[in-house]
Each structure stands twice: as C-alpha cells, then as structure tokens.
Amino acid sequence: MALASTARSSTQTRDSERLEAAVPLKQSCLESLKIYHKTLTTENLLKLIARPMGLICLPPVLWAALAQAVTIGFLVAVTSNVDVAFNTTYGFASWQVGLCFISGIIGALLGIPAGGQLGDKVADWFTKRNGGVRDPEMRLPAMLPSLITTPLALVLYGVGIEHRLHWIVPTIGLGLPKFPHHYLLNFSITQATNICLVYVIDAYRPVVGEITLAVMGFKALFGFLLSFYTNPWVSKSGYQNAYGTRRRFRLPCS
C-alpha cells in the first residue's frame, strides 16, 4: 500500500510539473510589447514562406480571398472618386463629402454583430439540426445580407450619379434615410469578410496563420488592382456601366 501510494504521488507530481511547464507564465504589459519574444516553431523558414502560396490554390481559401478582395476593393473604388462624383453631380463641397464617411462607422458597428454573433447563431442552429456535428460551411448562410446589400449599393450608386438623379437616390438607395452611401458597403465589408475569414480558419485550423496570410495577401493584391483602374473605367464606360459590372463580380464571389 505504501509503495502504491508513493508511486501515485510521484506520478501526480510529474504530471503537475509537466502541466506547469506547458502553461506559459503571464506576461506583464511591458513584456508583451517586446518586438522579439522567442522562436515559436522549429519548422523551416522557407517552408513557412512558401506554404501560403500553395494554400491560396485551395478553392475555399481562394473564394474567401476573392470575397474579401471584391468587397473591400469596391469601397476603395467608390471612395477614390466620390469627391469628384458628388461635386460634379450635386455641387457638394469637399467637407460635405467628408461628412458622408461618418456613415462608415455606423455601417461597421452594425456589421460587427451581423458578422460575429449572427454567424455564430446560424452555425449553432445548423449544428443542432446536424446532430451536434459542426461543419465550417454552416456559418456561410449568414452572408446572405451582404449578398443583397453590396450589389444594391453598387447599382444604385452608379445609376444615381450617372443619370444625375436627386442626391437622395444614392443616399436612400445605398443606405438608409439620412445615412450616406457608404453605409451598406461598410456593413458588407464588416459582415461578409468576418464570416468568410472565420470559415476558412475553421476549415484549416492546423495552418491558421498561413491561411490568414494567404487570404490577406491575395486580398490586398486583387483589391488594389480593382480600385486602381476605377477612374479610367468610369471615364470610359460611365458610372452606371462601371458599377453595374462590379455588381456582377460580387454575386459569384458570394
């Protein structure tokens, strides 16, 4: 009995020591601000650099990157010529156009729960229907609001500016009464991009760092190209055709 008790005590001691070694000590605020902490992996550096390039070829990762690229690229495209558009069409001064961007805060604040809590609740509902088994795709139906708001915002913005309709048309059509036109686009960015990024993270958790890098890197590249050619495209085709075509881009990416 004594030997068995001693063996159990020794085993418990070793287990507690291993547990203490596995749990890192809590850092102070100043320690957490250090530029370099320590090496967190033993993998080859070249492999870590090359892995995101291969992961972007996976269909779910490529789709998430495209969805983020077109959504954010559309907002950049709108903001790149909104001052000229509203000044030419409605005679807005620069400070008046600048006040329109207050709506971006409102849209983002509404998009945060729509992309976070709503996505979780939708996934939980489908999980219960699936017998408690969750799949990453179960949160994707929560993107339906952005599937409607983004094309609607682009079409009404382009039509309102192109045909010189009353300024309330791009305001009401692309947002809500007294909310400027960036409301729906900012809502879509916050809502849709959160859901699609969490989706690929759920699907590929062992390589979550590389997945995030692949999505963000491709998103930045494609979004830059989409917004870079906005002004030449608008000058050549007009607001209605340019933003109507962009609406077609958004639908397949959703």
Side-chain angles (χ1 to χ4, degrees):
M1 291 291 292
L3 292 176
S5 176
T6 303
R8 284 197 299 269
S9 176
S10 177
T11 302
Q12 292 175 354
T13 302
R14 288 196 298 269
D15 291 342
S16 62
E17 290 176 352
R18 284 196 295 266
L19 181 60
E20 291 177 0
V23 177
L25 297 176
K26 185 177 180 180
Q27 293 182 327
S28 66
C29 180
L30 291 178
E31 289 176 337
S32 65
L33 296 177
K34 290 192 301 184
I35 297 176
Y36 176 79
H37 294 267
K38 62 179 180 178
T39 302
L40 301 177
T41 181
T42 58
E43 290 190 83
N44 185 274
L45 180 61
L46 293 178
K47 184 186 294 185
L48 292 176
I49 295 174
R51 187 177 293 159
M53 302 178 187
L55 290 173
I56 198 65
C57 298
L58 296 173
V61 181
L62 180 61
W63 169 81
L66 285 172
Q68 292 212 15
V70 296
T71 306
I72 296 177
F74 289 153
L75 179 64
V76 177
V78 169
T79 55
S80 66
N81 61 22
V82 63
D83 189 39
V84 176
F86 271 70
N87 178 267
T88 303
T89 308
Y90 306 117
F92 278 20
S94 295
W95 66 270
Q96 291 173 308
V97 179
L99 291 176
C100 295
F101 286 86
I102 296 175
S103 64
I105 301 175
I106 300 172
L109 290 176
L110 293 177
I112 289 172
Q117 288 89 336
L118 177 62
D120 292 338
K121 289 181 179 180
V122 170
D124 291 342
W125 186 78
F126 280 105
T127 300
K128 291 179 181 179
R129 294 195 60 183
N130 198 35
V133 179
R134 173 171 292 195
D135 294 323
E137 293 80 7
M138 290 179 176
R139 65 176 64 249
L140 294 182
M143 291 183 65
L144 286 175
S146 292
L147 181 62
I148 299 172
T149 56
T150 306
L152 178 64
L154 294 170
V155 169
L156 293 180
Y157 176 79
V159 170
I161 299 296
E162 176 73 17
H163 295 280
R164 296 180 175 272
L165 302 179
H166 192 275
W167 64 269
I168 205 67
V169 173
T171 302
I172 294 180
L174 303 183
L176 293 174
K178 298 184 181 179
F179 285 172
H181 61 277
H182 297 88
Y183 168 81
L184 287 181
L185 284 178
N186 276 275
F187 172 85
S188 302
I189 288 174
T190 310
Q191 201 255 352
T193 55
N194 282 347
I195 292 176
C196 65
L197 182 60
V198 175
Y199 158 63
V200 291
I201 288 176
D202 285 346
Y204 302 98
R205 282 195 177 275
V207 287
V208 62
E210 292 87 341
I211 284 291
T212 305
L213 179 60
V215 172
M216 294 301 175
F218 186 86
K219 177 256 305 183
L221 177 63
F222 191 82
F224 162 75
L225 293 175
L226 191 65
S227 59
F228 183 78
Y229 292 101
T230 293
N231 290 328
W233 191 357
V234 169
S235 299
K236 183 178 180 179
S237 302
Y239 285 93
Q240 178 175 319
N241 292 334
Y243 285 95
T245 303
R246 290 168 186 266
R247 179 259 308 172
R248 299 189 186 99
F249 287 169
R250 185 66 180 99
L251 290 174
C253 290
S254 299

